[in-house]
């Protein structure tokens, strides 16, 4: 029973991720139209996303997901940058 609920949760997460991707594209298009510049719209979207990730990183700091960083070797921490 727990396995079925876990699978259902993951399926719902995938659907939510797909919906958020579509909504993000629509929001970026509306922002570009309002600012009259795709460059500024992209910059604001990037900064907003970066701030949201920073907030989530600070919120998750005390949770179990924070312990994952300590199990990953330090040489892999900067791989996403390159």
């Amino acid at each position: 029973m727990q396995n079925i609920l876990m699978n259902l949760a993951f399926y719902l997460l995938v659907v939510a991720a797909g919906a958020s991707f579509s909504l993000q594209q629509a929001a970026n298009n509306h922002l570009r139209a309002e600012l009259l510049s795709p460059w500024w719209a992209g910059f604001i979207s990037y900064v907003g996303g970066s701030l949201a990730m920073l907030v989530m990183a600070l919120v998750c700091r005390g949770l179990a997901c924070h312990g994952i960083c300590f199990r990953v070797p330090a040489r892999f921490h900067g791989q996403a940058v390159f």
Side-chain angles (χ1 to χ4, degrees):
M1 181 67 177
Q2 185 179 6
N3 193 19
I4 293 171
L5 290 176
M6 186 65 77
N7 285 338
L8 180 62
F10 283 132
Y11 288 138
L12 292 175
L13 184 64
V14 168
V15 170
S20 67
F21 184 75
S22 298
L23 292 173
Q24 180 66 38
Q25 295 302 316
N28 285 347
N29 190 28
H30 181 70
L31 186 60
R32 180 199 54 80
E34 289 294 321
L35 295 176
L36 301 175
S37 170
W39 299 103
W40 278 111
F43 176 74
I44 290 173
S45 179
Y46 181 78
V47 169
S50 297
L51 290 175
M53 285 189 294
L54 177 64
V55 167
M56 284 306 298
L58 293 174
V59 167
C60 289
R61 187 171 185 174
L63 301 176
C65 63
H66 182 65
I68 293 171
C69 293
F70 298 113
R71 291 192 304 250
V72 176
R75 66 179 183 267
F76 296 123
H77 286 190
Q79 295 297 319
V81 176
F82 301 108

